Amino acid sequence: QVQLVESGGGLVQPGGSLRLSCAASRSIFHIYSMGWYRQLPGKQRELVAIITNSGATNYADAVKGRFSISRGNVKNTVYLQMNSLKAEDTAVYYCNARISTTWEDYWGQGTQVTVSE
């Protein structure tokens, strides 16, 4: 019933940048965190970055210093600024929202990021 929609993916050269956006189709209450996960080709989905309702952030080691997660001005929006992209960042990136009361996760459908010449 809750929909999260990602955008901003695409093709970028190594060393380039992309900014991913995620927005909910309607207001979601009691969100503990929003974040980004990714699924590399042939791999399991993995954490990229999350931001809690208090503003705390966590990043996967592989993206620390290169990616930055932030909340938007509009409620229940989140962004992922990706800099210094590498070929190994190529993946489908999924937006996530976690509810603080039930710890239920909501997921977007994903946006493709391809880092290649």
Side-chain angles (χ1 to χ4, degrees):
Q1 61 281 20
V2 176
Q3 296 183 11
L4 300 174
V5 180
E6 307 97 337
S7 64
L11 175 65
V12 64
Q13 292 182 313
S17 298
L18 284 174
R19 184 175 177 85
L20 304 184
S21 301
C22 175
S25 60
R26 63 174 177 85
S27 296
I28 303 174
F29 294 92
H30 307 297
I31 290 179
Y32 169 75
S33 67
M34 296 188 71
W36 293 91
Y37 291 70
R38 68 186 183 186
Q39 188 165 14
L40 279 66
K43 305 296 183 181
Q44 294 180 291
R45 190 175 298 185
E46 64 185 30
L47 170 73
V48 177
I50 59 171
I51 184 165
T52 70
N53 58 5
S54 66
T57 58
N58 289 312
Y59 295 91
D61 288 342
V63 306
K64 286 180 179 177
R66 300 188 297 120
F67 292 9
S68 179
I69 190 169
S70 61
R71 294 175 295 186
N73 294 326
V74 179
K75 188 177 181 180
N76 297 333
T77 60
V78 66
Y79 301 95
L80 184 69
Q81 179 66 46
M82 304 186 294
N83 299 322
S84 302
L85 283 161
K86 306 174 181 179
E88 50 263 46
D89 295 318
T90 295
V92 178
Y93 285 71
Y94 296 90
C95 183
N96 167 269
R98 177 165 290 182
I99 308 303
S100 62
T101 53
T102 65
W103 304 107
E104 182 179 7
D105 284 317
Y106 295 91
W107 297 94
Q109 292 300 304
T111 184
Q112 176 71 46
V113 172
T114 302
V115 184
S116 176
E117 299 290 346

